Amino acid sequence: MRITVLTGAGIPAESGIRTFRATDGLWEEHRIEDVATPEGFRRDPALVHRFYNQRRADAARARPNAAHRALARLAQRHELTLVTQNVDDLHERGGSAEVIHMHGSLLGALCAGCGHRWPAALVMRPPDPCPACGKALARPDIVWFGEIPYHMERIWKAVESAELFAAIGTSGLVYPAAGLAQHARRNGAHTIELNLAASAVSRDFAERRLGAATEVVPQWVDALCP
């Protein structure tokens, strides 16, 4: 079966990585405009680097959970395209061989000047030079607000060809990710939402299973991989 899965912050949250919209979330400590926009980076690159250095350290300490491992198992039995809004590498460490990071990755660095990409150091600083152009314009390779998510052509094609589309641990508040379920349904896929609570686009799903990702995802995968 051709399956496309979209994952969001609800999965790594169960590995101890804080989400942005929780009551104790990251946005309560920082304004979006300050740490998640190109303008914020130009205004105060040191603040932005401190913010993502901490996120990188938190992700490195976190461990894959049962939901990550279940999705790796799903790929062994079905034709799976795994798309994530998450910028950590827990899917990969949980056994998934191929993951499409539509919002970038904490493991990557990007030159804000020439666009060159390279592996990020655990700690990045404003003076860090770009290996290609030499300018001190290194930023995290993260898709910020106002920027276009990565790999969208590939993602749309995977959604269009899917027989089954699942969204796991997503809020349904961030586009274009929030529009993928509706697109899948228009193209004939069965759609299912696995979430702690109904998302903002819950109406776009034909089926819904509510509960912790570490519980509902392994149960769902078990049913698809008897």
Side-chain angles (χ1 to χ4, degrees):
M1 184 188 303
R2 293 187 306 278
I3 304 172
T4 297
V5 171
L6 170 70
T7 67
I11 290 186
E14 293 195 54
S15 291
I17 296 180
R18 287 189 298 164
T19 67
F20 288 97
R21 292 182 174 82
T23 54
D24 61 345
L26 294 166
W27 292 146
E28 289 198 350
E29 301 170 8
H30 301 276
R31 295 195 321 149
I32 291 173
E33 297 84 356
D34 292 337
V35 297
T37 64
E39 296 77 15
F41 178 72
R42 287 193 292 268
R43 191 165 52 244
D44 192 345
L47 171 64
V48 173
H49 279 304
R50 285 197 302 272
F51 178 76
Y52 287 98
N53 288 343
Q54 184 59 57
R55 294 196 65 197
R56 201 174 293 112
D58 292 343
R61 282 192 296 267
R63 294 293 176 263
N65 60 48
H68 295 110
R69 293 190 293 271
L71 290 174
R73 184 158 51 88
L74 182 64
Q76 296 173 359
R77 296 288 298 275
H78 294 278
E79 186 181 334
L80 175 66
T81 300
L82 179 56
V83 182
T84 187
Q85 296 172 274
N86 302 323
V87 295
D88 58 72
D89 65 339
L90 292 176
H91 278 304
E92 288 87 345
R93 286 193 277 144
S96 292
E98 186 173 4
V99 184
I100 301 175
H101 285 267
M102 66 184 302
H103 290 163
S105 170
L106 290 166
L107 299 182
L110 168 68
C111 179
C114 72
H116 179 69
R117 288 180 167 85
W118 67 98
L122 183 61
V123 176
M124 295 180 66
R125 299 181 176 90
D128 292 347
C130 167
C133 70
K135 294 180 180 178
L137 292 172
R139 55 165 276 189
D141 193 7
I142 303 294
V143 176
W144 286 331
F145 287 90
E147 297 181 327
I148 299 172
Y150 297 153
H151 314 296
M152 285 310 303
E153 183 176 353
R154 183 182 175 192
I155 292 169
W156 285 119
K157 286 181 178 178
V159 170
E160 288 169 1
S161 65
E163 298 169 83
L164 172 61
F165 174 83
I168 304 171
T170 63
S171 66
L173 294 170
V174 178
Y175 284 84
L180 296 181
Q182 187 177 80
H183 191 62
R185 201 167 182 176
R186 278 198 302 263
N187 283 273
H190 178 72
T191 54
I192 179 170
E193 176 178 50
L194 299 96
N195 219 343
L196 199 56
S199 72
V201 291
S202 204
R203 64 187 179 279
D204 294 334
F205 295 90
E207 184 181 352
R208 186 179 308 112
R209 299 187 187 187
L210 300 183
T214 50
E215 297 176 3
V216 297
V217 176
Q219 292 169 3
W220 175 66
V221 170
D222 285 344
L224 291 171
C225 302

